[in-house]
């Protein structure tokens, strides 16, 4: 009782009946949608089916397309194998109807997605806001914090008031932290955040914490020719 689209292959066969194909109709309809996505520069939903020479075979609305290894985000071999079966957004970068050939890119889709996410973030947040993020990567000079699909830089000098030699002394991967927005550059898209700015500066109200004449205990941090630092 269901109505479906069919492809008319011939008006009649030897028995006088029309020759039709649902499979060909499904392919033609899917191809028309893919062509529309390509011509309008839209992102297509795809499922990674299997690994093949030079990349992956992905399914877009029932049609197989090729995703080159160079066009997919990955950091290691294990990451590459783990993408099988995943649903991802891709950008169609090449189509050839005669050869039934479609080439897609995950990288280009991610770049466009990030542009849109960044635009929304620049409207949603402003310098001085305190937001929550997740530690995605730790380097010698700082850490990158995911603040909703976009990485913001947390420089090592903005992690802690006391001097540290490496961000890993304070931060751990995949942990959520609150940070303060310090820089938002619309031209470059750069966002910088700070962690130490959430706590008072050690020198604030220092005269109340250490009144002149008070006897206190301290730790010797360095000794020089002209004295010592406590």
């Amino acid at each position: 009782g269901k109505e479906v689209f069919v492809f008319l292959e011939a008006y009649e066969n030897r028995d006088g009946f029309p020759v039709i194909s649902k499979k060909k109709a499904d392919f033609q309809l899917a191809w028309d949608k893919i062509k529309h996505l390509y011509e309008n520069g839209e992102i297509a939903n795809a499922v990674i089916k299997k690994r093949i020479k030079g990349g992956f075979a992905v399914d877009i609305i029932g049609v197989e397309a090729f995703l080159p290894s160079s066009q997919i985000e990955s950091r290691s071999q294990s990451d590459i194998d783990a993408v099988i079966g995943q649903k991802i957004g891709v950008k169609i970068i090449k189509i050839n109807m005669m050869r039934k050939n479609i080439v897609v890119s995950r990288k280009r889709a991610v770049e466009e997605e990030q542009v849109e996410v960044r635009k929304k973030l620049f409207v949603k947040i402003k310098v001085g806001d305190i937001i929550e993020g997740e530690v995605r990567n730790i380097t010698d000079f700082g850490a990158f914090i995911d603040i909703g699909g976009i990485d913001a830089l947390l420089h090592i000098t903005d992690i802690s008031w006391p001097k540290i030699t490496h961000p890993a002394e304070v931060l751990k991967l995949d942990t959520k932290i609150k940070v303060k927005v310090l820089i938002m550059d619309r031209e470059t898209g750069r966002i910088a955040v700070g962690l130490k700015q959430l706590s008072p500066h050690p020198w604030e109200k220092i005269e109340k914490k250490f009144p002149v004449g008070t006897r206190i205990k301290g730790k010797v941090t360095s000794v020089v020719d002209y004295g010592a630092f406590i």
Side-chain angles (χ1 to χ4, degrees):
K2 182 180 179 181
E3 290 187 357
V4 297
F5 285 99
V6 294
F7 183 87
L8 180 62
E9 296 189 85
Y11 283 107
E12 60 180 55
N13 57 13
R14 292 178 181 179
D15 299 322
F17 292 103
V19 180
I20 59 175
S21 170
K22 181 180 182 301
K23 183 177 180 180
K24 288 185 177 180
D26 289 342
F27 178 83
Q28 185 62 53
L29 290 170
W31 186 270
D32 290 342
K33 290 180 181 178
I34 291 170
K35 187 179 178 182
H36 175 81
L37 292 171
Y38 173 70
E39 292 176 346
N40 290 276
E42 297 178 21
I43 293 175
N45 294 318
V47 178
I48 301 177
K49 305 301 289 184
K50 59 183 178 180
R51 190 169 184 181
I52 57 177
K53 184 179 179 180
F56 299 87
V58 301
D59 181 281
I60 304 177
I61 328 173
V63 178
E64 187 174 286
F66 175 59
L67 172 61
S69 295
S70 61
Q71 294 299 315
I72 188 168
E73 288 185 317
S74 61
R75 295 184 179 85
S76 66
Q77 186 68 29
S78 59
D79 289 337
I80 291 178
D81 294 334
V83 301
I84 304 299
Q86 284 188 6
K87 292 181 179 180
I88 59 173
V90 296
K91 194 74 181 289
I92 302 169
I93 57 177
K94 183 180 179 182
I95 60 173
N96 189 316
M97 181 64 175
M98 296 296 292
R99 297 182 179 181
K100 302 294 186 292
N101 181 33
I102 304 172
V103 181
V104 298
S105 169
R106 172 59 182 161
K107 281 186 176 180
R108 292 195 189 180
V110 170
E111 288 171 1
E112 290 196 8
E113 289 170 355
Q114 288 188 336
V115 168
E116 292 302 315
V117 171
R118 200 177 296 276
K119 286 181 181 178
K120 292 179 181 178
L121 273 177
F122 270 84
V123 174
K124 185 178 179 181
I125 64 176
K126 61 183 183 299
V127 173
D129 285 354
I130 296 173
I131 57 177
E132 187 176 70
E134 187 171 344
V135 182
R136 286 299 187 191
N137 189 23
I138 296 176
T139 66
D140 292 337
F141 58 85
F144 289 97
I145 313 299
D146 185 339
I147 56 172
I150 294 297
D151 285 344
L153 174 63
L154 172 57
H155 197 270
I156 188 171
T157 56
D158 291 312
I159 293 177
S160 170
W161 289 115
K163 187 177 180 180
I164 58 175
T165 57
H166 197 278
E169 295 175 31
V170 179
L171 304 173
K172 290 184 178 180
L173 283 174
D174 302 324
T175 56
K176 291 185 177 181
I177 60 172
K178 286 189 176 181
V179 291
K180 187 173 184 178
V181 180
L182 304 179
I183 298 173
M184 293 188 69
D185 191 326
R186 291 183 179 276
E187 291 186 6
T188 63
R190 176 173 172 262
I191 301 176
V193 295
L195 179 61
K196 72 179 185 182
Q197 287 78 6
L198 298 182
S199 58
H201 193 288
W203 281 89
E204 286 183 14
K205 300 179 181 179
I206 194 73
E207 67 282 353
K208 292 183 179 180
K209 189 175 181 180
F210 301 113
V212 175
T214 305
R215 182 174 293 180
I216 58 173
K217 288 185 177 181
K219 181 181 179 181
V220 179
T221 56
S222 65
V223 179
V224 293
D225 293 339
Y226 52 86
F229 287 94
I230 313 298

